[in-house]
Amino acid sequence: MSKRGEHLYYVDLIRVLTVGLVIGTHVLAFAPVPPTVLVGALGMVFHVSREVFFLLTAFVLTYSTGRKKVRWPKFWARRYLFVVVPYLVWTVAYFFANGGPFFGEAFVQQLLTGTARYHLYFLLVSMQIYLVFPLIRALLRATERWHGPLLGLAVLFQLAFAYAVQHQWDLGPLSGWVRAPDALLPSYLGYVLAGSIAAWHRDALVGWTRQHVRLVFGGAASVVALSVVVYLVQVWGDGQPPLQASMVFQPVVAVESAAIAWTFLATGLLWQERRRFGEKLVTATSDASFGIYLLHPLVLQGALLGAGATGLVDFAQTVPNALVLVVLVVVFLPLLYLVSGLLTAAARRTPVSLALTGRPWSRPVRRSVPARGSEDLALANTGGAR
C-alpha cells in the first residue's frame, strides 16, 4: 500500500460511473413499460452498482486509514456523523414523501430497517461496516501472508450466499436473513473483504491492471455476455419472470460485479494518466456523489409525477418499448443525474449541507488559506464512497 495522502483520481471516476448505474437501476424500476426481457437484461448490468459500491467503500476505507495506528473513537465519531444525520433526515423526508397514512409504528419500522425508500438500506450497511472495520483491519494484518486464501474464502462465501438467496434456501434460524438480506452487512461480507484486500495490495493491483487493460476489458465483456446468457436461460429455459431472473442476489451477478468494478478501475487509470479530461466536472460530481445518491429518488418521484400529469406516461404506452428504454437510458438518466447533482451542489453551500448531503458546509475558500495537507486529501477522497 503506497503513501496514504496521495489523491486517487481514478476513484473519483469510479464513483461517478457507479452512481450512474445506481440511478439507471432506479430509472428502469419505474420505467413506464412492462417488465420485458429487455428490461431485465439491462437490469442485469445496472444491478452491479450495489456490489461495486461495497467494494469501493471497503477499498477507500482501507486506503484512507493505511497501516498506521488509528484512533477508532475519532474514526467512528467522524464517520457516523456524516452518515447517521443524513439517514435520519432523509428517512423523515421519504416517510412523508411516500404519502399517508402516517402511523408512528410505520415510521419506527422504516427507521430501523432502512425501508423509508428503496436505497436507504445502504446507509445502514455502511454503519455496520464502520462498526466492524477495526476487526476487518486486524484480520488483514493477522493474515497478511495468506490474503490469497482469504480472498478465495470471501469469493466462495459470496457465491454461496447469493445462490442461497436466489433459491430461497431454508437455513433454519438464518432463513429470515436469506429472505430479507438487503440491510445486513453479512450479505455483502465477501465484497467488503475483497475491497479491503485490494486496497491493502493497491500498488500490485494497479500495476497489474495498467499492464493488462485489454485483458480486463475483454474479460469484463465476456462476463457481462455470460450474465445475459444466464439470464435468458432462466427466462426462456426455466420460465422465470424477467424481474425474478434479473434479481441482484445470484452468483452470476457477483461475478459480473467484480468484472465491472475491475473495468471501472482500468477506465479510471486510463483517464487519470491521459490528462484527466473533464477533471473539474468529475471531481465535483464525485464530491457530490453521496448527496446525489440520497436525493435522486425524490427527483425521480417528482419527474414521474410530472410525466403522469403531462401525459408523457400515456404517450409512452403508444410507442415501442425499446424506444422508450433508449430515451430513458440515453436522455432521462443523464438529465436526472444532472438535476440531482445541481441540487446537491446547491445544498452543499448551505448550513444544512451535512443533513442533506452527508458532507460539511462548503464555504468559499480564500486564497490566504493554506493548502490541505495529505491527511485532509485522504479524507476528502473518501467522501461519497458509501
Side-chain angles (χ1 to χ4, degrees):
M1 187 185 299
S2 58
K3 195 158 107 177
R4 188 175 121 187
E6 178 187 354
H7 186 88
L8 307 183
Y9 290 96
Y10 55 84
V11 169
D12 290 334
L13 185 60
I14 294 172
R15 191 178 291 126
V16 170
L17 294 173
T18 308
V19 171
L21 291 180
V22 171
I23 296 175
T25 298
H26 299 154
V27 167
L28 287 180
F30 294 96
V33 297
T36 62
V37 173
L38 179 57
V39 172
L42 288 172
M44 287 292 289
V45 178
F46 286 119
H47 268 163
V48 305
S49 57
R50 177 185 305 204
E51 290 79 4
V52 174
F53 250 138
F54 284 121
L55 286 164
L56 183 61
T57 297
F59 182 95
V60 174
L61 280 176
T62 304
Y63 169 77
S64 64
T65 56
R67 302 189 185 188
K68 297 180 181 180
K69 183 178 180 180
V70 178
R71 297 178 180 177
W72 295 114
K74 182 179 179 181
F75 170 88
W76 284 322
R78 180 178 178 84
R79 291 288 170 176
Y80 282 118
L81 174 66
F82 291 156
V83 72
V84 172
V85 173
Y87 175 74
L88 294 174
V89 169
W90 282 104
T91 295
V92 172
Y94 284 117
F95 175 72
F96 287 105
N98 290 335
F102 303 114
F103 295 128
E105 296 86 351
F107 173 75
V108 172
Q109 189 270 338
Q110 292 177 17
L111 179 66
L112 295 177
T113 59
T115 53
R117 192 55 65 97
Y118 42 78
H119 67 317
L120 292 178
Y121 75 92
F122 189 87
L123 279 71
L124 285 183
V125 180
S126 297
M127 296 178 206
Q128 297 167 63
I129 294 175
Y130 299 156
L131 180 63
V132 304
F133 188 68
L135 298 178
I136 293 174
R137 221 179 67 134
L139 177 63
L140 293 178
R141 285 181 175 277
T143 63
E144 189 163 7
R145 296 175 56 188
W146 299 281
H147 282 177
L150 179 62
L151 178 61
L153 289 175
V155 171
L156 289 175
F157 166 80
Q158 203 62 60
L159 292 174
F161 179 73
Y163 189 84
V165 175
Q166 182 184 25
H167 296 277
Q168 290 293 284
W169 278 2
D170 183 1
L171 298 181
L174 299 179
S175 295
W177 170 33
V178 172
R179 288 193 296 269
D182 287 346
L184 299 174
L185 171 58
S187 305
Y188 314 99
L189 187 57
Y191 301 111
V192 173
L193 288 176
S196 296
I197 293 171
W200 200 266
H201 301 278
R202 187 185 74 89
D203 291 340
L205 173 64
V206 167
W208 190 94
T209 303
R210 282 194 178 108
Q211 296 175 10
H212 301 88
V213 170
R214 291 185 179 179
L215 179 60
V216 172
F217 287 157
S222 300
V223 171
V224 171
L226 174 63
S227 70
V228 174
V229 169
V230 170
Y231 161 76
L232 294 176
V233 169
Q234 292 174 159
V235 172
W236 292 334
D238 298 339
Q240 295 182 19
L243 292 182
Q244 179 183 347
S246 62
M247 67 182 296
V248 66
F249 282 103
Q250 53 178 310
V252 71
V253 172
V255 177
E256 184 186 25
S257 301
I260 290 181
W262 212 329
T263 300
F264 283 0
L265 172 60
T267 303
L269 289 171
L270 288 176
W271 173 76
Q272 175 177 294
E273 295 163 5
R274 297 183 180 180
R275 299 185 180 181
R276 300 197 291 269
F277 176 76
E279 178 183 343
K280 290 185 178 180
L281 177 61
V282 171
T283 302
T285 306
S286 175
D287 186 60
S289 59
F290 191 35
I292 294 171
Y293 181 87
L294 289 167
L295 68 84
H296 81 270
L298 193 61
V299 179
L300 176 59
Q301 181 179 355
L304 291 172
L305 290 173
T310 57
L312 286 177
V313 173
D314 293 333
F315 175 73
Q317 313 302 315
T318 65
V319 298
N321 292 335
L323 178 59
V324 175
L325 291 175
V326 169
V327 173
L328 288 175
V329 173
V330 177
V331 178
F332 182 69
L333 191 163
L335 184 60
L336 178 61
Y337 202 155
L338 175 62
V339 173
S340 300
L342 292 175
L343 290 174
T344 300
R348 285 290 311 279
R349 287 161 176 76
T350 69
V352 294
S353 175
L354 175 63
L356 296 180
T357 72
R359 299 299 304 278
W361 181 7
S362 180
R363 298 181 179 89
V365 179
R366 297 179 180 177
R367 292 184 179 182
S368 60
V369 176
R372 292 181 300 179
S374 61
E375 175 72 9
D376 292 327
L377 285 173
L379 290 172
N381 206 41
T382 65
R386 294 170 168 82

